[in-house]
Amino acid sequence: MATYYSYAQPRSVHEFIVKDASGKDVNLSIYKGKVLLIINVASLCGLTKKNYTYLTQLYDKYKDLGFEILAFPSNQFKQEPGTNEEIVEFACTNYKAEFPIFDKIEVNGSNAAPIFKYLKSTKRGFMGDRIKWNFTKFVVDKHGNVVDRISPFTPLKIVEKDLKKLLGVPK
Ligand SMILES: *[C@@H]1O[C@H](CO)[C@@H](O)[C@H](O)[C@H]1NC(C)=O
Ligand SMILES: *[C@@H]1O[C@H](CO)[C@@H](O)[C@H](O)[C@H]1NC(C)=O
Ligand SMILES: CC(=O)N[C@H]1CO[C@H](CO)[C@@H](O)[C@@H]1O
Ligand SMILES: CC(=O)N[C@H]1CO[C@H](CO)[C@@H](O)[C@@H]1O
């Protein structure tokens, strides 16, 4: 009798293992019960300053209520020349990012990190599922469901409104 292997489709972000900036495995199930913003980041100075500053403000405001930002550097947008250590250094020293910065990954194409393949498959963009720009944001609820995909150009006030709803913060 032939053996039939079926590979279960992931059902939640919590089923993924990713690598942190030092190469250690991180089982995303540790984020069960948290509202997540998963972002592909770029780290060139100047252009990204505002993005990091605002994200850090959001993080400070809501982290005690169960909010986490997971930032994945990607150089597919030709702006990320540094090593992982430089990226972490950059985020921590210049912009005080206290949220985790993971290993540098690809977000598009066949070498895209599995977590990004999954994120994109659950929420397609306006023009196909490819990530078109750095700072694309995926919103994940406490159960690991991807509930929204937000363009980098969406004002963060709107993102914040979404987050508050998921965190159960009154208006
Ligand atoms: C991740 O952690 C969960 C909960 O501890 C565990 O059930 C799961 O097997 C882990 N995944 C892997 C691939 O180790
Ligand atoms: C973040 O960067 C994008 C460009 O990638 C820009 O359009 C957006 O305004 C920036 N967001 C903030 C809050 O500065
Ligand atoms: C903030 C930032 O790094 N923006 C860059 C995002 O990616 C595009 C496309 O490569 C660049 O042109 C932006 O400068
Ligand atoms: C393989 C692939 O599709 N790569 C693309 C991913 O998106 C970036 C940014 O638009 C492109 O530069 C890559 O060619």
Side-chain angles (χ1 to χ4, degrees):
M1 208 172 91
T3 312
Y4 180 71
Y5 294 99
S6 78
Y7 295 96
Q9 276 293 112
R11 278 158 304 154
S12 138
V13 162
H14 298 149
E15 292 178 22
F16 287 83
I17 308 283
V18 299
K19 294 210 181 292
D20 71 12
S22 66
K24 262 192 292 176
D25 281 350
V26 179
N27 183 334
L28 293 186
S29 75
I30 63 172
Y31 294 109
K32 273 183 188 164
K34 304 235 179 196
V35 172
L36 308 176
L37 206 52
I38 301 182
I39 311 175
N40 65 304
V41 298
S43 73
L44 270 210
C45 302
L47 280 173
T48 54
K49 185 168 191 267
K50 271 209 216 136
N51 273 285
Y52 270 124
T53 305
Y54 197 95
L55 288 173
T56 303
Q57 282 169 8
L58 275 186
Y59 187 63
D60 286 344
K61 215 160 151 185
Y62 299 114
K63 68 180 172 200
D64 293 339
L65 300 169
F67 172 53
E68 279 293 339
I69 292 174
L70 311 187
F72 290 87
S74 175
N75 63 4
Q76 280 192 306
F77 304 93
K78 306 277 184 271
Q79 288 233 342
E80 192 84 29
T83 63
N84 288 331
E85 274 166 31
E86 286 166 359
I87 291 163
V88 171
E89 177 83 351
F90 162 86
C92 298
T93 58
N94 293 21
Y95 307 123
K96 307 229 180 321
E98 279 147 33
F99 46 83
I101 313 266
F102 290 93
D103 196 10
K104 199 196 257 183
I105 52 148
E106 294 192 10
V107 296
N108 290 327
S110 52
N111 292 326
I115 180 74
F116 270 86
K117 286 185 178 166
Y118 176 68
L119 292 168
K120 292 189 295 179
S121 73
T122 57
K123 294 284 166 197
R124 310 185 84 85
F126 285 119
M127 293 161 70
D129 67 2
R130 188 169 64 87
I131 304 270
K132 279 163 282 293
W133 208 258
N134 30 52
F135 293 104
T136 296
K137 303 171 191 69
F138 290 92
V139 182
V140 177
D141 73 10
K142 294 179 177 179
H143 308 289
N145 302 310
V146 187
V147 293
D148 207 358
R149 171 175 177 155
I150 301 171
S151 133
F153 307 107
T154 301
L156 285 156
K157 286 268 167 261
I158 294 177
V159 179
E160 184 171 358
K161 220 183 259 177
D162 264 20
L163 292 175
K164 281 168 87 167
K165 215 180 289 165
L166 289 171
L167 288 165
V169 178
K171 282 197 199 128

